[in-house]
């Protein structure tokens, strides 16, 4: 009887919180939830050496290990709850002081080249959307003003969307960005808060150069649009 109780108790522990079999760098809870919500489980580190990526069960094993009960919409809901909770209680480790974010420049010079930020923010209310519409999405585009090729060494890795001093959406901008033109880098963030369309917000991104120096770049009073 004791053995059965121990096994049952162990099964209650979410698998995505368990330590990997071989001690790789464990992704953050937010990274795991992002991958589980968007079905991008292959973006996470592989925790096992005996299940190759071309094995028929690879994705299932990865989802069991990382996602546990949190998949699809459940993962998206948990991610929103986590982000909302962090914003409300100010526990985002990487969040600079609010006055630093709100005073970030509208153009920044890096190695003699100037960069500016443009955005498109929207919430989807099309008929296939869930009741109340989908969460906020953000397309951000950093452009080199001189029209020359965007440097591969310059990274755009973090986003803050500021509704007011008490409401901030902060998220990673992971993965490789798209280049709509040679002098631009575009990234998309999903699963933001459900702020009302028509709201104006400030958007700030963090840039990291080849020497690991960081810069903040802001686009002020950006409108949240609505798609129907």
């Amino acid at each position: 009887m004791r053995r059965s109780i121990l096994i049952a108790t162990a099964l209650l522990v979410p698998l995505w919180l368990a330590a990997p079999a071989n001690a790789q760098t464990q992704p953050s809870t937010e990274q795991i939830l992002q991958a589980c919500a968007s079905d991008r489980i292959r973006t996470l580190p592989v925790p096992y050496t005996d299940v190759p990526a071309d094995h028929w069960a690879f994705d299932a094993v990865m989802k069991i290990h990382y996602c546990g009960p949190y998949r699809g919409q459940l993962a998206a809901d948990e991610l929103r709850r986590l982000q909302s909770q962090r914003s409300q209680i100010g526990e985002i480790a990487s969040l600079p002081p609010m006055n630093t974010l709100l005073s970030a420049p509208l153009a920044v010079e890096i190695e003699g080249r100037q960069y500016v930020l443009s955005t498109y923010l929207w919430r989807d209310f099309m008929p296939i959307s869930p009741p109340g519409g989908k969460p906020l999405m953000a397309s951000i585009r950093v452009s080199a003003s001189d029209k020359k090729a965007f440097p591969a060494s310059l990274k755009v890795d973090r986003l803050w969307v500021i509704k007011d001093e008490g409401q901030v959406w902060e998220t990673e901008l992971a993965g490789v960005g798209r280049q709509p033109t040679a002098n631009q880098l575009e990234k998309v963030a999903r699963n933001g808060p459900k702020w009302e369309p028509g709201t104006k917000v400030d958007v700030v991104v963090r840039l990291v150069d080849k020497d690991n120096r960081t810069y903040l770049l802001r686009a002020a009073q950006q409108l949240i649009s609505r798609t129907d």
Side-chain angles (χ1 to χ4, degrees), residues 23 64 71 87 94 109 115 118 144 169 196 200 202 207 218:
I64 289 172
R71 303 189 190 188
S87 295
S94 57
E109 185 173 308
Y115 298 87
S118 58
W169 173 34
E196 288 297 318
K200 288 187 176 180
D202 277 17
L207 286 69
R218 180 170 59 99

Side-chain angles (χ1 to χ4, degrees), residues 7-15:
I7 292 173
T9 303
L11 290 174
L12 292 176
V13 179
L15 290 173

Side-chain angles (χ1 to χ4, degrees), residues 148-164:
K148 296 179 182 178
F150 197 94
S153 60
L154 186 60
K155 310 300 180 186
V156 183
D157 71 344
R158 190 158 291 272
L159 167 74
W160 295 270
V161 181
I162 306 159
K163 183 179 178 183
D164 54 49

Side-chain angles (χ1 to χ4, degrees), residues 60-119:
V61 169
M62 290 280 285
K63 287 177 181 177
I64 289 172
H65 176 82
Y66 281 115
C67 302
Y70 294 106
R71 303 189 190 188
Q73 189 57 44
L74 287 174
D77 290 344
E78 178 66 12
L79 180 64
R80 285 196 298 274
R81 185 199 66 76
L82 175 68
Q83 292 172 335
S84 174
Q85 182 184 57
R86 285 179 173 177
S87 295
Q88 290 171 5
I89 63 179
E91 289 184 356
I92 304 174
S94 57
L95 182 64
M98 185 60 63
N99 61 345
T100 300
L101 289 175
L102 292 175
S103 62
L106 303 179
V108 64
E109 185 173 308
I110 303 174
E111 296 185 352
R113 302 181 65 186
Q114 190 175 72
Y115 298 87
V116 294
L117 173 65
S118 58
T119 76

Side-chain angles (χ1 to χ4, degrees), residues 131-153:
K134 291 183 179 180
L136 180 63
M137 296 180 65
S139 173
I140 66 96
R141 186 175 293 186
V142 178
S143 305
S145 299
D146 59 10
K147 307 299 182 182
K148 296 179 182 178
F150 197 94
S153 60

